[in-house]
């Protein structure tokens, strides 16, 4: 009877499984390595070895390369997001956080340990400018017209604005103790203040803090869902993931997720994937049900990226 039931269920399971499941890339910052997970089975397929300390990653504007920054190893890995194959490695000075400008012309790299922000020509990786910053450049966000990049400075408790046209610092303003994640949202900057329980809303024109959004101790990073209906914010110390209304900036719901949620990515089905820095795991949260599942990875997982392979078929 059991064998018969298995035979009957097998075609159903095979039909339900996508022919090519999404791949989830997880940066294990202190192993150091990159775990590649099958999003359907939630199993680790393999690991890519890194040199010393991988933290953040970004997809190239043309979607061809996944750039993985090994800050301790002073290099960037260029990985085929569809296969996990390493195409090449480039020597880059202490790349901690990195992102491409909205027009695709520049790659900006924040160097947490060397107190510098580097501006590269995106296509050739030619270094165009190196700006010495006060203390611990952390995360990056851009003005939508690609004229300005904003950088959080964890050590000095400030946000700095840098012109991508003149490649000079424009201003720096205090925002709170240990600012981390930052995004541009409807003409404002939303910044996680790790030394508090709040995200702050900063007006980049007046340079004034207009309001605070309480999420939980160790307010860290914030990401916009692909459909634009929700902002997702993490509290690394209190271990929370918050749903925030993008129009009112009110917290709709708090999800308690033990393990220190950090970076977030989204799969095509609307699920939220988050690295758990203290638990050697990643969490997969279904916003419709609130159900959270965790999957083992390496030590101190940080950056995360979901590659939707189903879209390639």
């Amino acid at each position: 009877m059991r064998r018969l039931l298995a035979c009957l269920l097998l075609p159903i399971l095979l039909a339900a499984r996508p022919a090519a499941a999404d791949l989830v890339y997880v940066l294990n910052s202190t192993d150091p390595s990159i775990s590649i997970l099958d999003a359907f089975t939630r199993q680790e397929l393999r690991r890519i070895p890194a040199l010393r300390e991988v933290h953040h990653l970004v997809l190239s504007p043309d979607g061809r390369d996944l750039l993985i920054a090994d800050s301790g190893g002073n290099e960037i890995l260029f990985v085929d997001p569809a296969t996990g194959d390493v195409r090449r490695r480039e020597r880059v000075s202490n790349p901690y956080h990195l992102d491409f400008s909205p027009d695709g012309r520049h790659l900006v790299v924040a160097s947490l340990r060397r107190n510098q922000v580097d501006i590269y020509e995106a296509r050739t990786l030619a270094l165009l400018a190196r700006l010495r910053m006060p203390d611990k450049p952390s995360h990056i966000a851009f003005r939508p017209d690609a004229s300005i990049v904003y950088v959080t400075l964890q050590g000095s408790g400030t946000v700095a604005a840098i012109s991508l046209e003149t490649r000079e610092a424009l201003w720096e303003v205090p925002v709170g103790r240990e600012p981390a994640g930052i995004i541009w949202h409807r003409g404002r900057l939303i910044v996680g203040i790790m030394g508090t329980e709040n995200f702050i809303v900063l007006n980049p024109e007046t340079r004034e803090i207009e309001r605070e959004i309480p999420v939980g101790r160790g307010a860290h990073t914030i990401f916009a869902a692909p459909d634009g209906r929700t902002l997702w914010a993490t509290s690394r110390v209190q271990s929370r993931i918050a749903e925030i209304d993008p129009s009112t900036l009110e917290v709709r719901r708090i999800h308690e997720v033990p393990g220190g949620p950090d970076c977030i990515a989204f799969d095509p089905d609307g699920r939220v994937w988050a690295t758990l820095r203290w638990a050697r795991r990643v969490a997969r949260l279904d916003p419709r049900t609130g159900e959270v599942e965790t999957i083992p990875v390496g030590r101190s997982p940080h950056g995360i990226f979901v590659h939707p392979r189903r879209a390639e078929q």
Side-chain angles (χ1 to χ4, degrees):
M1 181 67 183
R2 186 176 298 174
R3 182 176 297 178
L4 176 62
L5 183 60
C7 292
L8 291 173
L9 287 176
L10 182 60
I12 298 173
L13 292 172
L14 290 175
R17 190 189 193 284
D22 303 331
L23 295 181
V24 183
Y25 290 81
V26 181
L27 307 193
N28 305 310
S29 62
T30 59
D31 260 335
S33 60
I34 301 102
S35 292
I36 304 177
L37 309 180
D38 180 307
F40 184 83
T41 65
R42 274 90 73 198
Q43 298 296 313
E44 183 169 318
L45 301 174
R46 65 187 179 96
R47 291 193 186 186
I48 302 171
L51 290 177
R52 289 189 61 186
E53 200 171 353
V54 283
H55 283 289
H56 293 284
L57 69 176
V58 66
L59 189 67
S60 62
D62 61 7
R64 184 177 184 274
D65 291 301
L66 185 63
L67 280 67
I68 298 174
D70 187 336
S71 63
N74 296 305
E75 73 172 15
I76 294 177
L77 290 74
F78 287 72
V79 175
D80 182 339
T83 65
D85 295 334
V86 179
R87 289 189 169 117
R88 71 182 197 275
R89 299 170 183 250
E90 296 283 351
R91 297 290 294 171
V92 173
S93 175
N94 188 216
Y96 177 70
H97 194 266
L98 72 171
D99 204 355
F100 289 95
S101 58
D103 60 5
R105 293 177 54 203
H106 299 101
L107 174 67
V108 179
V109 174
S111 171
L112 189 72
R113 291 177 179 159
R114 293 186 178 173
N115 295 332
Q116 65 196 32
V117 174
D118 291 339
I119 302 172
Y120 293 88
E121 201 279 323
R123 185 177 58 84
T124 64
L125 274 193
L127 180 62
L128 302 175
R130 171 164 291 163
L131 290 84
R132 298 294 177 183
M133 306 303 288
D135 199 2
K136 296 183 179 178
S138 180
H139 289 64
I140 295 165
F142 292 93
R143 190 180 179 93
D145 63 5
S147 62
I148 298 174
V149 60
Y150 303 94
V151 183
T152 53
L153 303 172
Q154 281 188 24
S156 57
T158 58
V159 169
I162 299 169
S163 169
L164 288 176
E165 297 169 356
T166 65
R167 298 164 196 158
E168 296 176 340
L170 300 174
W171 50 259
E172 185 180 341
V173 62
V175 292
R177 187 158 53 95
E178 294 185 275
I182 181 171
I183 62 168
W184 177 278
H185 179 69
R186 302 184 182 182
R188 300 294 186 267
L189 294 165
I190 304 180
V191 186
I193 310 299
M194 284 198 298
T196 74
E197 64 177 18
N198 300 314
F199 285 78
I200 60 100
V201 180
L202 176 66
N203 185 323
E205 305 303 327
T206 65
R207 304 173 208 171
E208 295 180 349
I209 296 174
E210 295 184 340
R211 64 179 292 182
E212 295 178 339
I213 307 170
V215 169
R217 294 189 307 277
H220 193 61
T221 54
I222 184 165
F223 300 83
D227 62 9
R229 296 178 181 177
T230 308
L231 299 175
W232 292 89
T234 62
S235 153
R236 203 163 70 177
V237 175
Q238 204 162 345
S239 285
R240 291 175 163 182
I241 300 177
E243 299 181 31
I244 299 174
D245 186 295
S247 299
T248 66
L249 298 184
E250 297 292 331
V251 176
R252 291 181 187 144
R253 186 179 183 185
I254 294 283
H255 301 269
E256 306 288 347
V257 184
D262 199 311
C263 288
I264 283 176
F266 306 94
D267 69 25
D269 297 318
R271 285 181 291 257
V272 177
W273 293 71
T275 49
L276 304 178
R277 287 296 291 277
W278 323 132
R280 299 189 183 190
R281 304 180 82 86
V282 296
R284 190 181 76 154
L285 165 65
D286 189 335
R288 293 162 294 190
T289 64
E291 181 183 0
V292 177
E293 177 184 1
T294 66
I295 301 123
V297 286
R299 290 178 297 173
S300 192
H302 199 171
I304 187 167
F305 174 80
V306 177
H307 179 67
R309 296 176 72 193
R310 283 171 281 176
E312 300 169 359
Q313 299 172 24

